[in-house]
Amino acid sequence: MECPHQHQDILSHMLIYCDENGQYLAEHDIVNKILGLLIGSHETTSTVCTFVVKYLAELPQNIYENVYQEQMAIAKSKAPGELLNWDDIQKMKYSWNVACEVIRLNPPAQGAFREAINDFIFDGFSIPKGWKLYWSANSTHKNPEYFPEPEKFDPSRFEGTGPAPYTYVPFGGGPSMCPGKEYARMELLVFMHNLVKRFKCETLFPNGNVTYNPTPIPAKGLPVRLIPHRS
Ligand code: HEM
């Protein structure tokens, strides 16, 4: 059966999708997938935006200044009203290193489950085939063997070839790795561009506690003072 796919938003796409037997997706399936996408794509990325603002406001100002210089060089290369394009995103290397370090310290997804496909020994523990395992982004990202002084904010960790494979896993790894990673990178960099181009930020409750629900979030929210640049 021919499926009309002219509607491109994801909900329309799911509502009109039918398989070769003419079966449409069940309502609970659509609800599940939309909820999964809202949590997996919106919640994760908005969490990183929150922490980017917090860190840019609270870190030594040379970090903000370097991001600002990089973004202004791109902004100045554009004609009035011209939008960012993919090449501009590739130039935002320092800003992405800063975002990666924000994500290392505050991974929005804490980890996920895997199933052991073979018996193996890990750290003296015998793991039988078929066991469910939970990998944790937080503890992996704080391992001093791979990230010396793990609590220190240091975007230079991502210069060159960056962290060793599977030591930096905010987007998971292997065949189930997050398919939205590049989209998230673009969203975050566009956000950083538009933020620093216009404003400096100050947080009203600096260095406050962070709670988890399920993504990390500043316990008192993140009220900020946005200070427009003098033109
Ligand atoms: C900073 C933003 C994001 C983070 C930290 C993140 C993190 C993750 C993680 C840890 C996983 C599990 C990977 C694994 O098991 O190895 C995952 C899966 C997934 N993510 Fe993301 N994600 C982000 C943004 C997005 C966006 C923007 C989208 C969609 C537009 C998205 C869609 C998905 C989907 C559909 C899966 C399930 C993949 C599968 O099971 O095969 N994510 N994400």
Side-chain angles (χ1 to χ4, degrees):
M1 181 181 288
E2 204 174 305
C3 302
H5 278 174
Q6 71 272 34
H7 300 291
Q8 289 302 304
D9 71 90
I10 196 135
L11 179 59
S12 309
H13 193 77
M14 286 186 198
L15 287 170
I16 61 175
Y17 176 79
C18 52
D19 66 16
E20 59 281 9
N21 302 317
Q23 285 290 317
Y24 287 86
L25 281 170
E27 200 171 294
H28 66 265
D29 251 355
I30 297 180
V31 168
N32 249 337
K33 288 185 195 332
I34 292 287
L35 274 178
L37 265 180
L38 284 177
I39 296 169
S41 65
H42 175 76
E43 184 89 5
T44 47
T45 319
S46 64
T47 296
V48 181
C49 288
T50 305
F51 281 92
V52 162
V53 173
K54 182 173 162 60
Y55 279 85
L56 286 180
E58 295 176 5
L59 283 167
Q61 280 304 289
N62 65 315
I63 306 249
Y64 174 93
E65 204 48 47
N66 290 343
V67 172
Y68 176 74
Q69 294 300 342
E70 181 175 81
Q71 295 300 341
M72 285 314 286
I74 294 165
K76 283 177 187 156
S77 73
K78 313 293 289 178
E82 187 186 345
L83 297 176
L84 290 172
N85 59 36
W86 189 243
D87 286 344
D88 298 322
I89 301 290
Q90 307 318 310
K91 290 178 197 151
M92 300 180 183
K93 288 192 177 7
Y94 182 80
S95 304
W96 182 236
N97 290 351
V98 169
C100 284
E101 186 67 339
V102 169
I103 300 172
R104 181 183 71 81
L105 290 165
N106 303 276
Q110 305 304 305
F113 287 96
R114 290 290 191 272
E115 187 176 310
I117 53 172
N118 289 310
D119 297 343
F120 68 100
I121 308 279
F122 177 75
D123 212 11
F125 292 93
S126 156
I127 314 286
K129 177 180 173 181
W131 269 33
K132 304 290 180 289
L133 303 162
Y134 184 80
W135 58 264
S136 154
N138 242 321
S139 49
T140 310
H141 292 175
K142 303 273 173 76
N143 186 334
E145 199 180 323
Y146 301 109
F147 299 100
E149 294 186 77
E151 298 298 336
K152 185 177 165 196
F153 191 95
D154 180 5
S156 74
R157 301 178 198 274
F158 295 90
E159 284 170 7
T161 51
Y166 294 99
T167 61
Y168 180 67
V169 285
F171 295 97
S176 296
M177 187 172 175
C178 176
K181 175 178 179 275
E182 284 305 294
Y183 184 75
R185 183 170 81 99
M186 186 186 67
E187 269 186 285
L188 292 166
L189 289 170
V190 170
F191 171 75
M192 288 171 84
H193 177 85
N194 285 294
L195 176 75
V196 301
K197 201 169 75 170
R198 292 173 177 79
F199 305 110
K200 270 197 144 179
C201 324
E202 284 173 9
T203 46
L204 268 55
F205 306 125
N207 307 311
N209 288 339
V210 169
T211 57
Y212 289 80
N213 183 26
T215 55
I217 197 82
K220 293 185 178 171
L222 192 73
V224 285
R225 189 173 290 120
L226 295 175
I227 304 147
H229 298 302
R230 292 208 190 110
S231 49

